[in-house]
Amino acid sequence: MNPIIILVHPQLVENIGMTARAMANCALPELRIVSPRDPWPLGDIHRQRMMAASSGADDILENAKHYDTVKDAIADLNYVYATTARGNDMVNRIMTPRAAVPDMIERTSDGQKVGVLFGPERMGLINDYVALANAKITIPLNPDFMSLNLAQTVLLIGYEWYQANDATPENRIRIGKSRPALREEYQKFFDRFEDELDKAGFFVADDMRPTITRNLQSTLGRAEMTEQEIRSWHGVLSALVDGPKRKKKS
Amino acid sequence: MNPIIILVHPQLVENIGMTARAMANCALPELRIVSPRDPWPLGDIHRQRMMAASSGADDILENAKHYDTVKDAIADLNYVYATTARGNDMVNRIMTPRAAVPDMIERTSDGQKVGVLFGPERMGLINDYVALANAKITIPLNPDFMSLNLAQTVLLIGYEWYQANDATPENRIRIGKSRPALREEYQKFFDRFEDELDKAGFFVADDMRPTITRNLQSTLGRAEMTEQEIRSWHGVLSALVDGPKRKKKS
């Protein structure tokens, strides 16, 4: 069960479309709209402008539900978060998006229906609506320049939701069609490398050999090469050693 | 030291402006631009369109540096990340934004200059440019609907950067001008509450009293009230107990 995105009095149909686009990026399917400026259902022209702004997130918009009041839009929910940038004097539980998401996950896995309220462009949510929610979500960003548009705010909440539910490895080497080289393949290449350097008279001072060897080996090790790349480097070594001679042979 | 945002061949001046706006939200000051479609420095009309789209992030745009090639734009950097959504067959270190940011922090605290490459709208970075970077950043989002615009991609990286450097408490009760109530204030209110319920004949079965009392106490405790709120609830209790009688007095 995903959190439900609830737009309160959105002013521009383009922003409803862009919100749907942001939601689709984050695999959030359910949108509710409370009394937008342009009466719902939209006329053809407004509808077209909304659809164009959604870049193909049509399903979300087709299935969006309209409500007359915030109270109606949240009536069947167990827990409601209100997004807001502004400080006010109300006593509130305030969470960052990063803390709100585990809270959402815990509730939804428990069978609860949760929703997130987003206020109109520029204005944000009025206090009366914030008071209807259980908690507030405030995105920590540069206090000297807070200028997120509606769809960006939805995107950041949706992004956090998606990350928490996603298992993409955080840091990995992508190896394409090859496979990570075996230590044996590294070692064979390196033995040959060292041998050729020896023949070429690279090791002028014998006492430096262990250090230099270790450093060269370490460079290649850090690169985490694939089997394919080891073969390429064998070719590189052959070319450098044989030089133009090799070309003449062919 | 902040990571430097590098836009490679951006197509629309509006997107340069919106990128600056996203950067300002995340307190990222340094922008580099590699051969945009419209020749740099921009003519008056293009410049105005860019500035309008930046919603006031003028400083970033005034200070943006222009380069002819990606190689020139990254020459003075120690480590470069390439953002890309597409898979390819290149062997790459791939990080999520969440993993890339601690990596950036470690490098920048170490005095390294780091930059993040963003490709042109729609196209993304070509492999030749990805190969110039040390690592790739790919944002895990809905694989069935990947449609982030340039400024949104910059926003998500910048958002992660800002979060990692921000100390906002993740989950707290904001108390406005009051202060969290003391246990003594809770207890005094609750004793009075229980007393009034008693007088009103609320506790019909004496053996249920401990459970009911505990539950009522727990409800109020979970609300984490302020001193001000405790006083309001004293007023609520008085009004309910005295009823219309009280009004008549005044």
Side-chain angles (χ1 to χ4, degrees):
Chain A
M1 178 79 94
N2 295 289
I4 296 162
I5 301 300
I6 306 163
L7 300 187
V8 179
H9 309 327
Q11 300 296 295
L12 298 176
V13 291
E14 285 81 0
N15 287 333
I16 303 176
M18 285 168 66
T19 294
R21 177 182 176 180
M23 290 173 64
N25 272 296
C26 306
L28 287 173
E30 198 171 343
L31 177 63
R32 296 183 178 185
I33 299 168
V34 180
S35 293
R37 195 191 60 185
D38 301 301
W40 201 269
L42 295 172
D44 279 352
I45 293 173
H46 279 125
R47 197 184 141 74
Q48 276 164 29
R49 279 165 45 198
M50 175 180 74
M51 288 297 180
S54 82
S55 297
D58 303 22
D59 283 0
I60 293 172
L61 294 169
E62 307 284 4
N63 297 320
K65 286 191 199 120
H66 176 268
Y67 297 84
D68 288 328
T69 66
V70 175
K71 280 181 191 164
D72 291 341
I74 64 175
D76 64 330
L77 306 184
N78 297 99
Y79 201 87
V80 176
Y81 307 85
T83 53
T84 158
R86 297 171 309 168
N88 58 30
D89 285 336
M90 288 172 67
V91 181
N92 273 125
R93 175 169 296 285
I94 306 187
M95 301 180 185
T96 63
R98 193 153 299 172
V101 161
D103 189 66
M104 290 176 196
I105 291 174
E106 206 176 306
R107 290 175 195 282
T108 51
S109 342
D110 207 38
Q112 294 186 36
K113 269 175 105 166
V114 310
V116 190
L117 297 174
F118 297 83
E121 301 90 331
R122 295 176 197 277
M123 299 277 298
L125 289 168
I126 59 171
N127 285 348
D128 284 351
Y129 296 155
V130 175
L132 294 176
N134 301 80
K136 229 165 100 167
I137 299 179
T138 298
I139 304 177
L141 283 175
N142 188 359
D144 299 327
F145 189 99
M146 275 296 280
S147 165
L148 291 178
N149 67 33
L150 183 54
Q152 286 174 328
T153 310
V154 173
L155 176 68
L156 289 177
I157 309 284
Y159 165 80
E160 285 286 358
W161 170 260
Y162 196 93
Q163 300 315 299
N165 290 282
D166 182 65
T168 306
E170 292 213 323
N171 187 342
R172 69 193 190 284
I173 296 282
R174 181 208 185 89
I175 52 160
K177 288 169 188 151
S178 186
R179 57 161 176 77
L182 301 174
R183 304 315 303 170
E184 182 185 29
E185 289 158 350
Y186 262 103
Q187 205 47 57
K188 265 191 190 149
F189 172 73
F190 202 79
D191 289 346
R192 198 188 140 213
F193 187 36
E194 191 177 355
D195 188 47
E196 294 293 359
L197 287 175
D198 225 352
K199 287 192 217 158
F202 175 77
F203 297 106
V204 281
D206 242 16
D207 55 338
M208 288 302 286
R209 178 193 289 253
T211 312
I212 294 174
T213 305
R214 267 201 308 275
N215 288 348
L216 294 173
Q217 206 152 13
S218 154
T219 311
L220 295 174
R222 279 199 305 275
E224 297 188 44
M225 292 194 282
T226 62
E227 181 271 335
Q228 167 80 63
E229 287 176 319
I230 296 266
R231 277 190 281 133
S232 301
W233 283 85
H234 272 293
V236 165
L237 190 56
S238 301
L240 291 175
V241 168
D242 297 344
K245 279 176 288 178
R246 200 185 175 210
K247 262 196 190 133
K248 279 173 202 150
K249 276 182 204 164
S250 65
Chain B
M1 178 80 93
N2 294 291
I4 296 162
I5 301 299
I6 306 164
L7 300 187
V8 179
H9 308 327
Q11 300 296 293
L12 298 176
V13 290
E14 284 81 359
N15 287 332
I16 303 176
M18 285 169 66
T19 294
R21 177 183 175 181
M23 290 172 64
N25 271 295
C26 305
L28 288 174
E30 199 171 342
L31 177 63
R32 296 182 178 187
I33 297 168
V34 180
S35 294
R37 195 191 61 185
D38 301 301
W40 201 269
L42 296 172
D44 279 352
I45 293 172
H46 279 126
R47 196 183 143 75
Q48 275 163 27
R49 280 166 42 198
M50 175 178 77
M51 288 298 181
S54 82
S55 297
D58 303 23
D59 282 0
I60 293 172
L61 294 168
E62 308 282 4
N63 296 320
K65 286 191 198 121
H66 176 269
Y67 297 83
D68 289 327
T69 67
V70 175
K71 281 181 191 165
D72 291 341
I74 64 174
D76 64 331
L77 305 184
N78 297 99
Y79 201 87
V80 176
Y81 307 84
T83 52
T84 159
R86 297 171 308 166
N88 59 31
D89 285 336
M90 288 172 67
V91 181
N92 273 125
R93 175 170 295 285
I94 306 187
M95 300 180 187
T96 61
R98 194 154 298 173
V101 160
D103 189 68
M104 289 177 196
I105 291 174
E106 204 177 307
R107 290 175 195 282
T108 50
S109 341
D110 205 39
Q112 293 186 37
K113 269 176 106 164
V114 310
V116 189
L117 296 174
F118 297 82
E121 300 90 332
R122 295 176 196 276
M123 300 277 298
L125 289 169
I126 59 172
N127 284 349
D128 285 352
Y129 296 154
V130 176
L132 294 177
N134 300 79
K136 229 165 98 169
I137 298 179
T138 297
I139 304 177
L141 283 175
N142 187 1
D144 299 326
F145 189 99
M146 273 298 280
S147 164
L148 290 178
N149 68 31
L150 182 53
Q152 286 174 328
T153 310
V154 173
L155 176 68
L156 289 177
I157 309 283
Y159 166 78
E160 285 285 358
W161 171 261
Y162 197 92
Q163 300 315 300
N165 291 281
D166 182 64
T168 304
E170 293 213 323
N171 188 339
R172 69 193 190 284
I173 297 280
R174 180 210 187 89
I175 50 160
K177 287 169 190 154
S178 186
R179 58 162 175 76
L182 301 174
R183 304 315 304 168
E184 182 186 30
E185 288 156 350
Y186 264 102
Q187 205 47 58
K188 265 191 192 150
F189 172 73
F190 201 78
D191 290 346
R192 197 188 141 213
F193 187 34
E194 193 180 350
D195 188 45
E196 294 292 358
L197 288 175
D198 226 353
K199 287 192 218 160
F202 176 77
F203 298 107
V204 279
D206 241 18
D207 54 337
M208 289 301 288
R209 179 194 288 256
T211 313
I212 295 175
T213 306
R214 267 201 308 274
N215 289 349
L216 294 174
Q217 205 152 15
S218 156
T219 312
L220 294 175
R222 280 200 304 277
E224 297 187 43
M225 292 194 282
T226 62
E227 182 270 336
Q228 165 81 62
E229 286 175 318
I230 296 265
R231 275 190 281 134
S232 301
W233 283 85
H234 272 292
V236 165
L237 191 55
S238 302
L240 291 174
V241 168
D242 297 344
K245 282 177 283 178
R246 198 185 177 211
K247 261 194 191 141
K248 281 175 203 149
K249 275 184 207 165
S250 67

